[in-house]
């Protein structure tokens, strides 16, 4: 018993063969692997082109033709002058899912010359066809008779040899019979449109009926009478391909990576988060028109079309495989775009200005990581400043200290006052701007850059004579008492312009402390204790009253503490509105209360008179 058990445990298990449900596999291909049924035509073209490539590897003078035609019954016929198949090839290649003819004997060494890599092949045609018939004759063994392979979408197929007259010359003919509901994909106009879309750059003679499909050389490889003619021709190509007329075109020539193409500069600004789709041809065959990872993220202002023989496709051949080669190509293409920008800066400032007026955001994104680009673009990149729209170079020449704010709200608070005091300020609240300002000393040694905060602004305002401020102590005490619950101090200064009665100043630290205090008020006992423990010593916001303003002088002479408080609330609300700061519920309530209080005072005063 033990001996039998031992022998049984040592026996090898019987091998089993995977069973494939062809209908289920076709459904998987059409709904998950491929984005559209149109890829069936790419697969047919790809097989034909690879077959011709294989034959020419052995017979360099062999014909290179692909002919597509639609018969009266609506079926599609694709004929090529390629390497062809023998009966054994048919059994081992066409009937075996996952095996590629590019792995066959004699072809492995030259596999990089082929488009197909995954052996899916004709299977994709079942997305639109219910039956596929292949008639082929081998160029390697032309003495063997033609062979016919016929397959249905239920997974069955037959193979038989044919008389020589059925296929006298080497090559392959594929016949498709449309499945129910898919006849439109085999219509002649659709076939021609798809063939031109996929195969316009293929190196062989491809026709649909009498219509040529290929259009070589590619627009970027053609000779033109002058650079101006070239720009016009490429602009026309861009409009036909992408639907817009570009601001400019950029040559994308990377010989080491086998890349030739062009990048078209978009005529309108786009969001940096919007990923552009680029058209990539692999050895002439359109691989994808939605390649998002082809260029660096900062180059979102161009759309590319190019041909390559080095990048790897994914299994669906509708996108690029992310590997070291793609990373190197992305860097090389980014360098081409960077060189174009530096060339414009050096030799064509007018075109550069036109470009930056639309796409300064993309260049700023690049410049913040690239010191050389920042140095090159320094005289050109526009920034919002208290002196108007200037470049960092122009601004730094005017001001010994380059002050900037990190938010648009902070800039709006201080810009009018700082400008009147002769303090130049850059609005660093827009995307990338504060990072570029802080990087300025690295490319312009000796430049002093400082963030402008409430203390700096207050320090540039003139102090009031101590005797005058002491005389107004009662007024200031009443004003401070009214704003203290809002976390805001009151200070008195003299500054220009005289028309500004009050200025609201705060910084991020004070806003954080204010938000913490508000959260503490709304929290339960436990959270209030936790938030209270986080109370910091951050400076509070401040309302700076302008002692030079006539209205402030009149208010400061009031003797009624309640009226002083109401007036102070009104000044506080008006200062918030002038700074275009978002109002908190407490601020809105204060504005409403102050307005009603002033109305009541005005009407009571009228009655008294």
């Amino acid at each position: 018993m033990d001996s039998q058990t031992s022998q049984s445990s040592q026996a090898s298990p019987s091998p089993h063969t995977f069973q494939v449900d062809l209908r289920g596999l076709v459904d998987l291909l059409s709904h998950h692997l491929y984005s559209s049924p149109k890829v069936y035509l790419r697969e047919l073209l790809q097989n034909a082109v690879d077959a011709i490539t294989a034959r020419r590897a052995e017979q360099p003078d062999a014909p290179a033709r692909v002919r597509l035609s639609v018969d009266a019954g609506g079926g599609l016929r694709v004929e090529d002058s390629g390497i062809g198949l023998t009966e054994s090839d048919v059994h081992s290649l066409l009937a075996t899912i996952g095996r590629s003819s590019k792995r066959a004997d004699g072809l492995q060494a030259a596999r990089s010359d082929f488009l197909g890599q995954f052996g899916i092949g004709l299977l994709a045609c079942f997305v639109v066809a219910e039956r596929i018939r292949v008639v082929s004759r081998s160029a390697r063994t032309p003495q063997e008779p033609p062979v016919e392979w016929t397959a249905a979408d239920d997974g069955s197929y037959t193979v038989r040899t044919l008389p020589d007259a059925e296929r006298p010359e080497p090559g392959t003919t594929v016949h498709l019979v449309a499945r129910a509901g898919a006849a439109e994909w085999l219509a002649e106009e659709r076939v021609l449109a798809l063939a031109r879309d996929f195969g316009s750059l293929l190196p062989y003679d491809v026709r649909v009926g009498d219509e040529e499909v290929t259009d070589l050389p590619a627009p970027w490889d053609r000779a033109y009478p002058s650079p101006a003619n070239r720009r016009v021709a490429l602009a026309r190509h861009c409009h036909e391909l992408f639907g817009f007329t570009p601001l400019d075109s950029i040559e994308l020539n990377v010989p080491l990576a086998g890349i030739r193409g062009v990048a078209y500069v978009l005529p309108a600004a786009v969001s940096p988060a919007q990923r552009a789709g680029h058209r990539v041809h692999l050895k002439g065959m359109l691989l994808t028109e939605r390649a998002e990872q082809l260029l660096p993220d900062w180059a979102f202002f161009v759309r590319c079309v190019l041909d390559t023989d080095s990048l790897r496709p994914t299994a669906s051949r509708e996108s690029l495989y992310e590997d070291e080669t793609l990373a190197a190509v992305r860097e090389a293409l980014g360098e081409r775009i960077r060189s174009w920008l530096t060339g414009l800066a050096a030799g064509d400032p007018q075109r550069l200005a036109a470009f930056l007026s639309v796409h300064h955001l993309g260049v700023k994104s690049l410049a913040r990581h690239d010191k050389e680009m920042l140095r090159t673009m320094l005289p050109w990149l526009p920034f919002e400043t208290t002196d108007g729209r200037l470049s960092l170079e122009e601004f730094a020449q005017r001001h010994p200290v380059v002050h900037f704010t990190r938010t648009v709200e902070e800039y709006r608070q201080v810009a009018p006052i700082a400008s009147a005091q002769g303090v130049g300020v850059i609005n660093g609240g827009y995307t990338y701007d504060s990072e570029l300002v802080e990087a300025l000393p690295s490319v312009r040694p000796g430049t002093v850059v400082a963030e402008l905060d409430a203390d700096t602004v207050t320090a540039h305002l003139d102090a009031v004579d101590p005797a005058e401020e002491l005389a107004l102590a009662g007024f200031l005490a009443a004003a401070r008492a009214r704003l203290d619950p809002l976390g805001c101090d009151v200070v008195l200064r003299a500054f220009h312009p005289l028309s500004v009665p009050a200025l609201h100043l705060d910084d991020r630290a004070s806003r954080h402390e204010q938000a913490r205090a508000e959260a503490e008020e709304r929290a339960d006992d436990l959270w209030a204790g936790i938030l209270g423990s986080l109370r910091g010593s951050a400076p509070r916001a401040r309302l700076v009253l302008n002692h030079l303003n006539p209205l402030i002088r009149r208010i400061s002479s009031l003797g009624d503490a309640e009226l002083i408080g109401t007036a102070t609330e009104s000044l506080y609300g008006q200062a918030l509105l002038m700074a275009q700061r978002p109002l908190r519920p407490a601020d809105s309530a204060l504005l409403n209360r102050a307005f009603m209080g002033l109305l009541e005072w005005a009407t009571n005063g009228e009655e008294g008179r």
Side-chain angles (χ1 to χ4, degrees), residues 368-411:
R368 67 195 177 113
H369 295 303
D370 189 323
K371 289 184 179 179
E372 195 58 40
M373 181 55 61
L374 178 58
R375 184 178 290 108
T376 301
M377 292 290 109
L378 204 57
W380 305 101
L381 289 174
F383 289 79
E384 182 181 359
T385 79
T386 49
D387 294 348
R389 287 188 72 78
L390 298 176
S391 70
L392 291 182
E393 177 67 26
E394 292 174 302
F395 188 85
Q397 290 174 357
R398 297 185 182 189
H399 300 279
V401 178
V402 177
H403 286 105
F404 73 99
T405 63
R406 291 192 182 277
T407 68
V408 175
E409 289 78 11
E410 290 172 352
Y411 178 80

Side-chain angles (χ1 to χ4, degrees), residues 322-477:
E322 185 69 52
D323 58 9
E324 292 181 358
T325 301
L326 179 57
V329 165
R330 183 162 48 234
E331 183 176 349
L333 294 180
E335 181 58 36
R336 294 297 182 276
I337 299 174
R338 184 186 289 108
S339 298
W340 170 77
L341 284 169
T342 55
L344 288 186
D348 200 339
Q350 187 173 359
R351 286 170 66 198
L352 178 63
F355 166 75
L356 288 177
S357 68
V358 179
H359 294 299
H360 58 273
L361 198 59
V363 180
K364 287 181 177 181
S365 174
L366 170 60
R368 67 195 177 113
H369 295 303
D370 189 323
K371 289 184 179 179
E372 195 58 40
M373 181 55 61
L374 178 58
R375 184 178 290 108
T376 301
M377 292 290 109
L378 204 57
W380 305 101
L381 289 174
F383 289 79
E384 182 181 359
T385 79
T386 49
D387 294 348
R389 287 188 72 78
L390 298 176
S391 70
L392 291 182
E393 177 67 26
E394 292 174 302
F395 188 85
Q397 290 174 357
R398 297 185 182 189
H399 300 279
V401 178
V402 177
H403 286 105
F404 73 99
T405 63
R406 291 192 182 277
T407 68
V408 175
E409 289 78 11
E410 290 172 352
Y411 178 80
R412 288 170 177 166
Q413 286 182 72
V414 303
I417 308 304
S419 179
Q421 306 305 123
V423 179
V425 185
I426 295 176
N427 184 357
Y430 296 116
T431 307
Y432 310 133
D433 282 9
S434 61
E435 296 174 70
L436 291 174
V437 175
E438 289 181 300
L440 188 56
S442 67
V443 297
R444 198 178 188 276
T447 304
V448 179
V449 173
E451 182 176 354
L452 190 68
D453 55 20
D455 288 334
T456 304
V457 176
T458 306
H460 278 83
L461 305 180
D462 294 335
V464 177
D465 181 85
E468 290 189 52
E469 187 167 0
L470 182 62
L472 298 175
F475 160 71
L476 292 175

Side-chain angles (χ1 to χ4, degrees), residues 421-569:
Q421 306 305 123
V423 179
V425 185
I426 295 176
N427 184 357
Y430 296 116
T431 307
Y432 310 133
D433 282 9
S434 61
E435 296 174 70
L436 291 174
V437 175
E438 289 181 300
L440 188 56
S442 67
V443 297
R444 198 178 188 276
T447 304
V448 179
V449 173
E451 182 176 354
L452 190 68
D453 55 20
D455 288 334
T456 304
V457 176
T458 306
H460 278 83
L461 305 180
D462 294 335
V464 177
D465 181 85
E468 290 189 52
E469 187 167 0
L470 182 62
L472 298 175
F475 160 71
L476 292 175
R480 286 167 181 155
R482 182 59 64 94
L483 295 188
D484 184 66
L486 296 173
C488 183
D489 290 333
V490 177
V491 296
L492 189 65
R493 292 289 187 274
F495 57 87
H496 293 274
L498 299 180
S499 58
V500 177
L503 174 66
H504 180 270
L505 294 176
D506 66 357
D507 52 28
R508 288 189 304 280
S510 63
R511 287 197 294 273
H512 290 165
E513 173 61 21
Q514 194 175 60
R516 185 210 59 76
E518 291 176 355
E520 181 180 355
E521 291 180 2
R522 296 192 301 267
D524 57 26
D525 292 342
L526 173 61
W527 282 108
I530 295 174
L531 292 170
S533 68
L534 298 177
R535 183 182 295 110
S537 57
R540 297 178 6 134
R542 66 199 68 175
L543 181 68
V544 184
L545 302 179
N546 187 359
H547 188 53
L548 301 179
N549 180 268
L551 177 62
I552 296 297
R553 287 183 174 274
R554 287 197 295 271
I555 294 175
S556 63
S557 64
L558 294 173
D560 186 341
E562 183 63 28
L563 185 56
I564 290 175
T566 300
T568 302
E569 288 180 335

Side-chain angles (χ1 to χ4, degrees), residues 41 44-45 48-49 52 63-70 75-82 167 172-175 188 191 195 202 204-214:
L41 193 66
L44 290 173
L45 286 176
V49 170
I52 295 173
R65 298 186 306 271
V66 181
R67 298 290 182 263
L68 297 88
S69 58
V70 176
L76 177 64
R77 171 191 174 103
V78 181
E79 183 175 2
D80 67 68
S81 58
R167 180 81 203 193
T172 300
T173 303
V174 179
H175 302 260
E188 186 168 8
V191 170
L202 289 174
Y204 304 132
D205 180 14
V206 182
R207 297 172 185 264
V208 176
D210 296 327
E211 299 287 342
E212 291 188 12
V213 168
T214 53

